């Protein structure tokens, strides 16, 4: 299992794709753990030589005492790229990972070549749903609220409760939601949510020089479409693509991964 030291933080990471292709840093979302997210099967791997990693407090990466900040998450990502020997790379940030990517391009603009922002928000008056406010709910109620936020069309009584998500995948999501993290893992997840609550890069958006693809799901109630529109309007070289899905639009709309991969490989939007 590959670990790498990033300024004293032991980070777990995996490399997938073509080692001869341009480097791509994949920054994942809230609570992600590479032990269950199957990075080896991610279609983004076709876009280049892709680094997937567990962020601080999550998965197999160190879980130091908090609090954590968005600046730390951004600097972790930059430090990981440097440790891999990358002076410049494409960046794909999804959900919380998109927030990290926005802080990364603000703090380390020379590192980021093309930038993809999936189902994310700039914060402030255009923040994603405050997930930290749900943490004390009973597990069943928490899971139901998260599903309804994930896709406004959610119907637990339907044959396909989340449109476009196979039943076997949905059932696996339910099983994972029914067994929330505990102990050190729970503390790390909570610190991530607390950092997320302080995210606000609105003032920095006009200074982003990287060509940017903003991707959103039409029925996403975690990162609403209006927040993606804000990103696309304020980042000078940005284009918005809206897909038929919710917060999981990349699984729900077959066109999404193709559009992201094409942009990363060629810059075509």
């Amino acid at each position: 299992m590959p670990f790498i030291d990033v300024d004293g933080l032991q980070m777990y990471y995996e490399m997938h794709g073509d080692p001869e292709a341009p480097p791509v840093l994949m920054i994942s979302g809230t609570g992600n753990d590479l032990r269950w997210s199957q990075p080896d099967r991610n279609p983004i791997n076709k876009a280049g030589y892709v680094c997937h990693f567990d962020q601080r407090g999550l998965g197999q990466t160190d879980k130091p005492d908090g609090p954590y900040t968005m600046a730390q998450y951004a600097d972790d990502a930059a430090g990981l790229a440097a440790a891999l020997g990358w002076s410049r790379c494409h960046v794909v940030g999804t959900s919380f990972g998109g927030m990290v990517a926005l802080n990364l391009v603000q703090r380390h603009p020379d590192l980021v070549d093309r930038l993809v922002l999936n189902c994310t928000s700039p914060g402030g008056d255009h923040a994603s749903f405050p997930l930290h406010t749900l943490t004390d709910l009973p597990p069943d109620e928490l899971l139901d609220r998260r599903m309804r936020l994930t896709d406004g069309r959610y119907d637990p009584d339907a044959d396909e409760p989340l449109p476009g998500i196979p039943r076997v995948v949905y059932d696996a999501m339910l099983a994972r939601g029914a067994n929330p993290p505990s102990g050190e893992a729970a503390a790390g997840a909570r610190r991530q949510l607390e950092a997320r609550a302080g995210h606000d890069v609105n003032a920095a958006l006009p200074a982003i020089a990287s060509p940017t693809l903003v991707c959103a799901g039409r029925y996403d109630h975690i990162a609403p479409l209006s927040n993606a529109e804000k990103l696309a309007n304020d980042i000078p070289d940005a284009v918005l693509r809206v897909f038929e899905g919710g917060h999981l639009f990349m699984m729900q709309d077959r066109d999404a991964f193709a559009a992201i991969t094409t942009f990363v490989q060629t810059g075509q939007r």
Side-chain angles (χ1 to χ4, degrees):
M1 294 185 292
F3 289 84
I4 196 166
D5 183 276
V6 177
D7 297 325
L9 186 75
Q10 292 298 308
M11 298 187 73
Y12 177 80
Y13 74 104
E14 295 183 13
M15 303 300 304
H16 297 285
D18 181 0
E20 300 302 318
V24 180
L25 190 64
M26 182 75 180
I27 312 179
S28 55
T30 300
N32 190 65
D33 183 332
L34 295 189
R35 287 173 293 192
W36 60 260
S37 62
Q38 299 180 308
D40 58 315
R41 300 177 62 182
N42 194 312
I44 292 296
N45 296 336
K46 298 177 182 178
Y49 193 38
V50 184
C51 176
H52 304 257
F53 64 101
D54 286 334
Q55 300 186 71
R56 68 168 53 226
L58 303 177
Q60 298 174 81
T61 288
D62 282 350
K63 302 168 182 62
D65 290 339
Y68 301 165
T69 67
M70 296 305 300
Q72 281 180 313
Y73 282 105
D75 292 349
D76 290 346
L80 173 59
L84 293 171
W86 296 354
S87 60
R88 194 162 174 82
C89 61
H90 304 310
V91 174
V92 179
T94 299
S95 191
F96 176 79
M99 300 179 197
V100 175
L102 284 162
N103 283 270
L104 175 64
V105 74
Q106 176 187 6
R107 295 173 64 81
H108 305 274
D110 293 340
L111 174 64
V112 182
D113 193 342
R114 299 186 189 114
L115 175 64
V116 180
L117 301 171
N118 296 320
C119 52
T120 196
S121 304
D125 292 338
H126 298 272
S128 292
F129 185 88
L131 295 176
H132 64 282
T133 64
L134 304 181
T135 53
D136 292 332
L137 292 177
D140 288 350
E141 186 177 347
L142 172 61
L143 184 58
D144 184 73
R145 287 291 304 279
R146 287 291 298 263
M147 289 293 181
R148 294 184 188 280
L149 290 166
T150 294
D151 193 311
R153 303 166 297 171
Y154 174 65
D155 180 358
D157 298 321
D159 291 338
E160 196 173 72
L162 288 172
I165 302 295
R167 185 76 199 201
V168 64
V169 176
Y170 171 75
D171 288 343
M173 293 169 63
L174 289 183
R176 181 172 178 267
N179 293 280
S182 59
E184 185 182 51
R190 185 186 68 253
R191 290 169 183 147
Q192 184 192 41
L193 290 178
E194 291 168 352
R196 179 184 182 276
H199 167 66
D200 187 349
V201 296
N202 282 278
L205 298 180
I208 295 176
S210 300
T212 302
L213 177 64
V214 180
C215 298
R218 192 178 304 280
Y219 310 102
D220 188 349
H221 289 187
I222 294 178
L225 178 56
S226 59
N227 293 353
E229 292 170 340
K230 169 71 172 176
L231 290 169
N233 286 335
D234 287 13
I235 297 174
D237 189 8
V239 170
L240 172 64
R241 291 285 305 272
V242 181
F243 296 96
E244 291 302 308
H247 203 63
L248 302 177
F249 70 83
M250 286 181 286
M251 298 172 62
Q252 295 170 295
D253 189 330
R254 293 181 180 180
D255 292 337
F257 274 120
I260 294 166
T261 300
T262 296
F263 172 67
V264 172
Q265 289 178 323
T266 70
Q268 180 180 344
R269 292 172 286 194

